Amino acid sequence: MSGPGISVVICVYTEDRWEDILAAVSSVRAQSYPARETLLVVDHNPALRARLEGSYREEEQVRVLPNSGPRGLSAGRNTGIAASRGEVIAFLDDDAVAEREWLRRFAEAYADPRVLAVGGRTEPVWASGRRPVWFPEEFDWVVGCTYRGLPPGRVRVRNVLGGNASFRRTAFEAAGGFATGIGRDGGHRPLGCEETELCIRLARARPDAVLLVDDRAVIHHRVPRPRERFAYFRSRAYAEGLSKALVARSVGAARGLESERRYATRVLPAGVVRALRDALLGRPGGAGRAGAIVAGVLTAAGGFAVGSVRARRGSYAFAKTGGRAGGPHE
């Protein structure tokens, strides 16, 4: 096999997603470009860890290990990075499945030595069987998926999205790992943006670095019914505002909000116009989508305002890992 060896890290935390976890691992094992290994990092759940160890005891290419840091997704990812052996580390959500060419698309992009990170496209799989008519595609990031407004093809970006992403190991050696205290923790408000903060930090440490998204590297992400509801939409938009405030406080508003300005001034207004046109044409959900976009913007802005005040007061903080997040363990 030519190309970089790729370790796949899947962070898991609850037995409620048992079937999803098995499906995620199966999708990695079915790749046309084989993964060097799959690491299941269990977030402080001994029962789940024991069950996974029993299921994969005979699988040499699947390793189960506990999160060695504080509870949460960022520390789990850092644990996986430190334990991995590949030149490239890819991350897959525990409730997602990757298409067969997923890792091959990543590997192709790393033929350019300047490339330090590659992300892909994440498609929603709605538990109800179809997208809610009021749910705007411009806000698919709310459910961890690729949103309308991102450029197509293989393109340079400021940051990749963490549920479908990969990094060259040297990226972590240059910039450190994921910041803890900002990413998701199953028991608290769903903050995010840890991959944004890392990518901005990486660009500062390595100004020559190239970060890409290839929309042919596709995964399918399950969206449970509670996340199809407007209450979750609003809660997640508010949490995103809080997270953006932390990132802007850490890396500066110029870089921390660079992509968001284009999104707010171009993508969202176009989405409102499109939704209102659908409403005028009598198409289902047009008015609801327009209203959801406006509500999402206002809610995220409110979260950003509250987060900015709390960040200045020191109420919110997160820890950056220094140096390197870990090296290969042979």
Side-chain angles (χ1 to χ4, degrees):
M1 178 182 65
S2 60
I6 302 180
S7 298
V8 177
V9 174
I10 303 174
C11 295
V12 303
Y13 70 98
T14 175
E15 290 184 86
D16 293 341
R17 291 186 176 180
W18 179 255
E19 295 299 328
D20 293 329
I21 296 168
L22 299 184
V25 174
S26 293
S27 75
V28 175
R29 294 169 63 187
Q31 292 293 299
S32 63
Y33 185 97
R36 177 169 180 174
E37 60 186 348
T38 300
L39 287 80
L40 293 171
V41 183
V42 184
D43 194 14
H44 299 274
N45 186 332
L48 175 58
R49 179 185 173 192
R51 190 176 178 187
L52 287 169
E53 288 174 338
S55 293
Y56 291 108
R57 183 173 291 111
E58 305 300 324
E59 298 286 341
E60 294 183 1
Q61 298 303 313
V62 179
R63 289 193 284 152
V64 180
L65 56 153
N67 177 4
S68 61
R71 186 182 301 275
L73 182 57
S74 290
R77 287 173 173 165
N78 290 339
T79 298
I81 295 165
S84 63
R85 303 183 180 105
E87 177 187 343
V88 169
I89 301 97
F91 299 94
L92 179 65
D93 277 347
D94 63 346
D95 53 356
V97 293
E99 292 191 359
R100 181 172 168 77
E101 300 297 308
W102 179 59
L103 290 182
R104 184 174 298 282
R105 298 305 183 188
F106 284 169
E108 290 170 353
Y110 285 110
D112 182 344
R114 300 174 303 161
V115 173
L116 295 188
V118 186
R121 186 171 88 248
T122 302
E123 297 285 354
V125 179
W126 304 95
S128 62
R130 58 179 297 181
R131 171 187 296 275
V133 294
W134 62 267
F135 202 115
E137 292 181 22
E138 291 82 1
F139 272 80
D140 276 5
W141 55 262
V142 165
V143 291
C145 295
T146 301
Y147 56 90
R148 186 170 192 162
L150 290 177
R154 183 193 288 175
V155 294
R156 293 187 68 162
V157 292
R158 179 196 66 181
N159 63 275
V160 297
L161 302 180
N164 178 8
S166 64
F167 293 84
R168 206 184 289 274
R169 181 175 299 281
T170 53
F172 300 112
E173 294 171 353
F178 291 93
T180 59
I182 187 174
R184 283 178 177 264
D185 176 344
H188 297 87
R189 183 181 292 277
L191 298 177
C193 297
E194 66 274 18
E195 64 274 0
T196 301
E197 192 275 338
L198 170 61
C199 288
I200 294 173
R201 195 165 8 111
L202 174 59
R204 284 182 168 179
R206 288 283 304 273
D208 61 331
V210 174
L211 285 68
L212 300 173
V213 164
D214 188 335
D215 65 5
R216 299 169 301 171
V218 181
I219 70 170
H220 299 268
H221 184 269
R222 189 174 66 84
V223 182
R225 285 184 181 273
R227 296 188 182 185
E228 296 183 9
R229 298 169 185 162
F230 184 71
Y232 181 82
F233 177 92
R234 187 171 53 188
S235 173
R236 185 67 187 87
Y238 182 77
E240 184 75 3
L242 293 175
S243 300
K244 292 297 184 190
L246 274 177
V247 172
R249 181 73 172 172
S250 172
V251 301
R255 293 303 305 274
L257 301 175
E258 181 180 29
S259 297
E260 287 73 16
R261 290 191 183 93
R262 176 188 173 278
Y263 173 73
T265 59
R266 298 184 187 180
V267 175
L268 294 183
V272 171
V273 170
R274 191 161 40 248
L276 291 176
R277 182 182 62 210
D278 286 346
L280 290 173
L281 293 174
R283 294 169 181 165
R289 289 193 297 276
I293 291 174
V294 174
V297 170
L298 294 177
T299 304
F304 183 84
V306 171
S308 297
V309 171
R310 292 179 178 177
R312 285 196 296 269
R313 292 176 177 174
S315 301
Y316 279 157
F318 58 93
K320 304 174 190 177
T321 60
R324 50 186 294 175
H329 291 218
E330 298 296 347

